[in-house]
Amino acid sequence: VLTLDLVLIGFGHVGRRFVQLLAERERVLAEEHGTACRVAGIATLRHGTALFPEGLNAARAASLVDIAAAGVPLLALRDAPALIETAADRGATDDAALVVVETTTLDIRRGQPAIDHVRTSLERGAHVITANKGPAAFAFRELRDLAERKGLEFRFESAVMDGVPVFNLVNDTLPGVQVDGFRGVINSTTNYMLCEMEKGREWSDTLSDMQSQGIAEADPSLDVEGWDAATKTAALANVLFDAKITPHEVRRRGITGIGPGELAHARRQGRRLRLVARATRSEGRSDCVVAPVELPEDDPLALLPGMANALILETELLGPVAITELGGGLTPTAYGLFSDLVAVSRRIRGRSAIAARRSP
Amino acid sequence: VLTLDLVLIGFGHVGRRFVQLLAERERVLAEEHGTACRVAGIATLRHGTALFPEGLNAARAASLVDIAAAGVPLLALRDAPALIETAADRGATDDAALVVVETTTLDIRRGQPAIDHVRTSLERGAHVITANKGPAAFAFRELRDLAERKGLEFRFESAVMDGVPVFNLVNDTLPGVQVDGFRGVINSTTNYMLCEMEKGREWSDTLSDMQSQGIAEADPSLDVEGWDAATKTAALANVLFDAKITPHEVRRRGITGIGPGELAHARRQGRRLRLVARATRSEGRSDCVVAPVELPEDDPLALLPGMANALILETELLGPVAITELGGGLTPTAYGLFSDLVAVSRRIRGRSAIAARRSP
């Protein structure tokens, strides 16, 4: 049995739902993937940082809402990198590996400190899975190359469309297929707002719906100004066709200033106004844009209800292929981390077998 | 480098496009998957059966439109099973494996002879990939168990929605996710006919469009009576939730008798008539049906243009997830076989490493 020692950097809603999911799926992990998990440490912004030398099982970790208050042994660790270092110092064995689970929130200026967390983890021999869009959007190439050199996994399935497979769809199930571009609705808050304003509701009411449901970003300008969609667009373009861009190079216009009037006007002309992310590559260059677009009513992106997301990949062998998330929420995001963890487990089990093959 | 010796059973449009694709992607296979392919034998209905003792490269095989006429050494092999046996007798080695590529057409009564081809292949130690829906629709459980016992792959991605990942989507990218049911438009011919008749065209004109493009089945009643959709539904239900059914247990109503009048009537009421496949499971039982359904205009299945297909999976962790094929045709079908071949290669390379790990 392979043991994965998890270091959780960030322990908000997503991080906690993830360990809960781990506890719920303990048997699937053991029986189908020969893998057990224990929580080796947790670093949170608000509640301090804790190392669990013996490892905590997922159910126990999930119950820790407030680490400091829970009476667990808090070590004198200043910050997340120190926790990663300390966990790494304990060393990986043949039957155990360290996985850093990064769930901090996005910083739109530079993608930090998430990038540092990923870099430190990889440098110290830990696999990384993250729900944060920043690393893939700002530093994909560097981190991917570092992971490859170290023989480690760097995964971020939940960064776009929660746990609905986008990156894994292309990498695992479409071998040899070249992606030439994509078009999508990939921000739930703005799509919900546009759908609701189309019914005549006011901007502020629709935004507060999303805030009260915890769907909108803590800083709602990240959603309405198109930053979230631009960050996802950069991540997708970097991963799917090595675009080498950051969110700041995505041409970006948000939905600020758009109200029920504009939406009704578009509808009267048989069109629907939606925030569309689009990327194309040609001759090695990529062109990425996020902007409100008037779509024909029969466009697959025009009819996505409320918080639904969809991505249409332009592929050279299969033509356009769309993947659509009609649900959404916290559990799908946490599931993305779970599917990344299974991918890490598959990789380690495959690789350690190959390594063993060479030695005798 | 792993060598895959391919035995092609059936060598029509799909089989030929597949070997062409292999020739085109030779470098991807070699560089990214450490795999080379050679064609060890071909069995066709019309042109006889040939064994190539030295193996043919893909480009050469693709050029063989008519085996008998091409001057290749035809052996006195009566039929496909004999070819498989003969190829298998030459034995697999550490660096080579036999893969049977089955592309015969569907027999709706019993799924034969495709099932026998798959069974014989697995029994004789060959992996099997097939574009034929029959084996998964009529005998999935038996063939899956046989493949597992033998440590071999049995794959059929192109049986539903061409090479757009459906089976691999669930198996590879959604680990631990339970599929509780699905709803889809999965027959291109009938969807095209309904879309075109909605515009006022006559039944026979729309059907001949599909026949002249080579999309309709050789026997068009397989499409219009719902047999093709029912067979795909059985395959999906068998694979995604172990339904243990055949196409004959899918409740089935085709589109015969539906004309421009009915479609226009539905449209006037804001609805669109489409041939929908649906399956649900509850308490270990599954309920599968293929029938024309009046869909609301904003249903994702209502707006699929012409030959497009879509499948909406009901999942317990991610809610509804849809995958949509907006293109379609021969290349996507051939690509499904290619992606299956890559999966076989990944499996063999993983497994031989694991087998080697145990031996020392």
Side-chain angles (χ1 to χ4, degrees):
Chain A
V1 175
L2 169 70
T3 300
L4 298 179
D5 282 310
L6 311 183
V7 173
L8 309 174
I9 308 295
F11 197 54
H13 294 299
V14 171
R16 284 204 285 271
R17 183 69 188 94
F18 166 68
V19 286
Q20 217 173 51
L21 200 57
L22 272 188
E24 290 165 21
R25 305 281 145 148
E26 210 167 20
R27 234 182 58 186
V28 173
L29 269 179
E31 288 174 8
E32 291 178 25
H33 305 283
T35 298
C37 291
R38 31 177 207 220
V39 176
I42 302 178
T44 74
L45 197 59
R46 297 192 196 148
H47 302 293
T49 295
L51 189 74
F52 310 110
E54 304 301 319
L56 235 56
N57 71 30
R60 175 91 181 89
S63 72
L64 292 182
V65 175
D66 182 335
I67 295 174
V72 299
L74 275 182
L75 297 197
L77 294 170
R78 275 203 326 279
D79 51 16
L83 178 64
I84 297 167
E85 300 274 352
T86 309
D89 282 341
R90 298 165 61 217
T93 66
D94 272 2
D95 301 327
L98 195 61
V99 181
V100 170
V101 184
E102 219 280 349
T103 58
T104 62
T105 51
L106 174 67
D107 154 57
I108 193 57
R109 285 168 307 132
R110 300 188 301 125
Q112 290 290 17
I115 294 172
D116 284 343
H117 294 161
V118 174
R119 194 188 289 118
T120 303
S121 304
L122 294 171
E123 280 170 351
R124 294 304 314 262
H127 302 272
V128 195
I129 63 183
T130 178
N132 191 311
K133 296 166 270 289
F138 282 91
F140 174 65
R141 194 166 241 248
E142 177 215 328
L143 298 173
R144 175 200 62 189
D145 291 350
L146 176 58
E148 269 181 18
R149 262 199 321 280
K150 295 281 191 171
L152 295 164
E153 287 287 305
F154 161 43
R155 295 218 163 224
F156 40 81
E157 185 58 76
S158 39
V160 178
M161 284 174 60
D162 301 321
V164 170
V166 174
F167 301 107
N168 294 339
L169 179 77
V170 174
N171 289 330
D172 297 348
T173 71
L174 296 174
V177 168
Q178 183 178 301
V179 176
D180 295 321
F182 58 83
R183 217 164 62 85
V185 164
I186 53 181
N187 176 268
S188 299
T189 296
T190 51
N191 200 59
Y192 175 87
M193 289 175 68
L194 293 170
C195 288
E196 291 295 305
M197 287 193 290
E198 211 167 59
K199 299 174 191 160
R201 295 183 61 202
E202 289 301 323
W203 171 284
S204 55
D205 293 346
T206 64
L207 178 56
S208 38
D209 279 2
M210 288 290 91
Q211 288 175 311
S212 64
Q213 285 188 48
I215 307 287
E217 297 281 336
D219 170 4
S221 73
L222 289 180
D223 290 311
V224 298
E225 294 299 332
W227 279 115
D228 175 78
T231 308
K232 290 168 173 166
T233 301
L236 287 165
N238 286 338
V239 175
L240 301 183
F241 40 83
D242 211 13
K244 290 169 258 174
I245 59 164
T246 77
H248 299 279
E249 290 151 84
V250 176
R251 288 183 290 136
R252 178 185 50 78
R253 202 151 48 85
I255 65 164
T256 307
I258 294 175
E262 287 75 13
L263 287 152
H265 178 76
R267 279 227 67 177
R268 279 194 299 274
Q269 303 187 317
R271 301 178 86 80
R272 287 167 190 259
L273 200 57
R274 294 291 182 264
L275 187 67
V276 174
R278 191 175 52 74
T280 50
R281 74 156 157 197
S282 63
E283 293 164 19
R285 281 182 54 87
S286 62
D287 180 40
C288 301
V289 55
V290 167
V293 175
E294 285 194 1
L295 299 171
E297 275 182 335
D298 60 355
D299 189 299
L301 299 181
L303 284 167
L304 292 173
M307 294 177 276
N309 279 196
L311 188 69
I312 305 173
L313 302 168
E314 292 295 334
T315 76
E316 111 287 17
L317 281 178
L318 296 171
V321 176
I323 180 102
T324 307
E325 175 179 32
L326 290 159
L330 196 57
T331 299
T333 308
Y335 173 74
L337 290 167
F338 179 87
S339 77
D340 282 342
L341 194 75
V342 170
V344 169
S345 155
R346 284 175 172 160
R347 165 77 179 273
I348 295 174
R349 288 157 56 87
R351 199 199 35 189
S352 60
I354 290 164
R357 191 189 195 186
R358 289 199 189 113
S359 47
Chain B
V1 175
L2 169 70
T3 300
L4 298 179
D5 282 310
L6 311 183
V7 173
L8 309 174
I9 308 296
F11 197 54
H13 295 299
V14 171
R16 284 204 286 270
R17 183 68 188 96
F18 166 68
V19 287
Q20 218 173 49
L21 199 58
L22 272 188
E24 290 165 21
R25 306 280 147 149
E26 209 166 20
R27 232 181 59 185
V28 172
L29 269 179
E31 288 174 8
E32 291 178 24
H33 304 284
T35 299
C37 291
R38 37 179 203 218
V39 175
I42 301 178
T44 74
L45 196 61
R46 297 191 197 151
H47 302 292
T49 295
L51 188 73
F52 311 110
E54 303 302 319
L56 234 56
N57 71 29
R60 175 91 182 88
S63 72
L64 293 181
V65 175
D66 184 333
I67 295 176
V72 299
L74 274 182
L75 298 196
L77 294 169
R78 276 202 327 280
D79 51 14
L83 177 63
I84 297 166
E85 301 271 351
T86 310
D89 282 343
R90 298 165 59 219
T93 66
D94 272 2
D95 302 327
L98 196 61
V99 181
V100 171
V101 184
E102 220 280 350
T103 58
T104 62
T105 50
L106 175 67
D107 154 56
I108 193 55
R109 285 169 307 130
R110 300 188 301 125
Q112 289 291 14
I115 294 172
D116 284 344
H117 295 160
V118 175
R119 193 187 289 117
T120 303
S121 304
L122 293 171
E123 280 170 351
R124 293 303 313 261
H127 302 272
V128 194
I129 64 183
T130 177
N132 190 310
K133 295 165 271 291
F138 283 90
F140 174 64
R141 193 166 241 248
E142 177 214 328
L143 298 173
R144 175 199 63 187
D145 291 348
L146 176 58
E148 270 182 18
R149 260 198 323 279
K150 295 280 191 171
L152 295 164
E153 287 287 305
F154 162 44
R155 295 221 165 222
F156 40 80
E157 185 59 75
S158 40
V160 178
M161 285 173 59
D162 301 320
V164 170
V166 174
F167 301 108
N168 294 340
L169 179 76
V170 174
N171 289 330
D172 296 348
T173 72
L174 296 174
V177 168
Q178 183 178 302
V179 175
D180 295 321
F182 59 83
R183 215 163 64 86
V185 164
I186 52 180
N187 177 268
S188 299
T189 296
T190 51
N191 201 57
Y192 175 88
M193 290 175 68
L194 293 171
C195 288
E196 291 297 304
M197 286 194 289
E198 212 167 57
K199 300 173 189 160
R201 296 183 61 202
E202 290 301 323
W203 170 285
S204 55
D205 294 346
T206 64
L207 178 56
S208 38
D209 280 2
M210 289 291 91
Q211 287 175 312
S212 63
Q213 286 188 48
I215 308 286
E217 298 280 337
D219 170 3
S221 72
L222 289 181
D223 289 312
V224 299
E225 296 298 333
W227 279 115
D228 175 77
T231 308
K232 290 168 174 166
T233 301
L236 286 165
N238 286 339
V239 175
L240 301 184
F241 41 83
D242 211 14
K244 289 168 258 175
I245 58 164
T246 77
H248 299 279
E249 289 151 82
V250 175
R251 288 183 290 136
R252 178 185 49 78
R253 201 150 51 85
I255 65 164
T256 307
I258 294 176
E262 286 74 13
L263 287 152
H265 179 76
R267 278 226 68 178
R268 279 195 298 275
Q269 304 187 314
R271 303 177 84 79
R272 286 167 189 260
L273 201 55
R274 293 292 181 264
L275 187 65
V276 175
R278 191 174 53 73
T280 49
R281 75 156 157 196
S282 62
E283 294 164 18
R285 283 182 55 87
S286 62
D287 180 40
C288 300
V289 56
V290 167
V293 175
E294 286 194 1
L295 299 171
E297 275 182 335
D298 60 356
D299 189 300
L301 300 181
L303 284 168
L304 292 172
M307 292 178 277
N309 280 195
L311 188 68
I312 305 173
L313 302 169
E314 293 295 334
T315 76
E316 111 286 21
L317 280 179
L318 296 170
V321 175
I323 181 102
T324 307
E325 175 178 33
L326 290 159
L330 197 57
T331 299
T333 308
Y335 173 75
L337 290 167
F338 179 86
S339 78
D340 281 342
L341 195 75
V342 170
V344 169
S345 156
R346 284 176 172 162
R347 164 75 179 273
I348 295 173
R349 288 157 57 85
R351 201 200 34 191
S352 59
I354 290 163
R357 190 188 197 189
R358 290 201 189 110
S359 46

